[in-house]
Amino acid sequence: MQSLILKAFGGTTSHSTRLSKDDTQVAGYVRAQPNRIGRMLFACAVIIVAFLFAPAPAKAEYGDVVINNYSDTAGMRPVVFPHWFHRIRFRCKVCHADLGFKFKAGGNDINMYKIIEGKFCGACHNGKVAWSVKNCILCHSGKPGTPIQIHESTMQELAVPTNPLTSKK
């Protein structure tokens, strides 16, 4: 196995019956150092693996709701609620009628006590329907200090005129 690894990364082995004093001979084989190209290939492979398994930064998508009623004051990151992820799985009435969510970002007095009691998000995030509240960073993934908002919402775009010539002065 060792000789396969050395060959893959540019090193070689050769058979020898002499024992060396500098620990370059193991069980009858002399280890040669991998060449420069082999070391570079190995370094590139390590970098590629690091990028594949490194956690990506949390990114909000269009329609995500930032909930920061109590997070900053509690020393937690704000919640980034993936609205469209939930919307493609459930009809609007499930959350907005059955669970009591208002149709306004920041319009709900959501806190962890209520969620643990099974209200709001806790109706599903109970460990049975969806993951439980024990893994905080799955929801609390926003940048600290981010205000309550709908990310990239059309309401925000409509609040600022797109054409200054048509806006009233």
Side-chain angles (χ1 to χ4, degrees), residues 67 71 76-80 112 135-142:
I67 305 169
S71 298
M76 293 292 293
R77 290 174 161 224
V79 170
V80 177
M112 288 307 297
N135 195 345
C136 306
I137 62 169
L138 288 175
C139 300
H140 289 273
S141 61

Side-chain angles (χ1 to χ4, degrees), residues 122-137:
C124 294
H125 288 279
N126 54 15
K128 295 176 185 170
V129 177
W131 69 76
S132 72
V133 297
K134 293 179 182 177
N135 195 345
C136 306
I137 62 169

Side-chain angles (χ1 to χ4, degrees), residues 86-127:
H86 287 79
R87 179 57 190 93
I88 60 176
R89 287 163 179 74
F90 305 102
R91 293 179 182 254
C92 300
K93 76 172 211 75
V94 172
C95 299
H96 291 288
D98 300 347
L99 298 180
F101 283 96
K102 295 178 182 172
F103 283 98
K104 180 175 174 25
N108 303 287
D109 189 30
I110 304 170
N111 61 46
M112 288 307 297
Y113 297 113
K114 292 177 182 176
I115 292 171
I116 291 168
E117 289 174 354
K119 298 175 183 171
F120 294 112
C121 310
C124 294
H125 288 279
N126 54 15

Side-chain angles (χ1 to χ4, degrees), residues 16-21 25 27-28:
S16 173
T17 56
R18 293 183 298 183
L19 295 175
S20 63
K21 296 178 183 178
Q25 184 176 1

Side-chain angles (χ1 to χ4, degrees), residues 5-87:
I5 294 170
L6 283 171
K7 285 180 184 176
F9 294 111
T12 59
T13 59
S14 64
H15 188 268
S16 173
T17 56
R18 293 183 298 183
L19 295 175
S20 63
K21 296 178 183 178
D22 62 353
D23 194 34
T24 60
Q25 184 176 1
V26 178
Y29 287 89
V30 177
R31 280 189 263 156
Q33 296 299 320
N35 63 24
R36 188 173 191 184
I37 295 173
R39 287 191 300 262
M40 288 173 52
L41 286 173
F42 179 74
C44 289
V46 168
I47 291 169
I48 290 169
V49 168
F51 277 114
L52 290 175
F53 294 105
K59 293 182 180 178
E61 294 181 7
Y62 176 82
D64 287 355
V65 180
V66 177
I67 305 169
N68 197 358
N69 297 358
Y70 303 105
S71 298
D72 279 341
T73 57
M76 293 292 293
R77 290 174 161 224
V79 170
V80 177
F81 173 71
H83 184 265
W84 288 110
F85 179 83
H86 287 79
R87 179 57 190 93

